[in-house]
Amino acid sequence: MNERPFFLTDAELRTLTGWSMKSKQAQWLKAQAIPFRVNATGHPVVTRSTIEGREQQPLRRAWEPSLAGA
């Protein structure tokens, strides 16, 4: 089975945004209200499901202690 990657490729991100500079890509994505994260190299990362309109898995929240009994 030939599955596509979970994240858009660099080429797909260039096609989507019209920019090859990572800062311009992030700027464009933000202006279009497309959710993305920035990876360790400073490149914006977009999940394929965001663009294809599939339902995304919610991000897990970090554990927080309960202060109810404190």
Side-chain angles (χ1 to χ4, degrees), residues 3-48:
E3 291 189 28
R4 297 189 315 179
F6 183 74
F7 298 108
L8 295 182
T9 64
D10 289 340
E12 289 171 325
L13 200 52
R14 279 192 303 273
T15 300
L16 176 66
T17 64
W19 294 95
S20 57
M21 289 177 49
K22 57 189 176 185
S23 61
K24 291 292 189 181
Q25 289 174 341
Q27 203 174 42
W28 188 90
L29 291 165
K30 190 178 287 187
Q32 301 304 313
I34 296 174
F36 68 96
R37 299 277 193 248
V38 176
N39 68 14
T41 62
H43 288 84
V45 179
V46 179
T47 59
R48 186 169 300 283

Side-chain angles (χ1 to χ4, degrees), residues 45-69:
V45 179
V46 179
T47 59
R48 186 169 300 283
S49 61
T50 297
I51 302 305
E52 292 180 348
R54 287 183 277 144
E55 187 174 323
Q56 296 186 50
Q57 296 291 334
L59 294 176
R60 290 186 180 171
R61 293 181 49 165
W63 179 83
E64 294 180 21
S66 174
L67 301 176

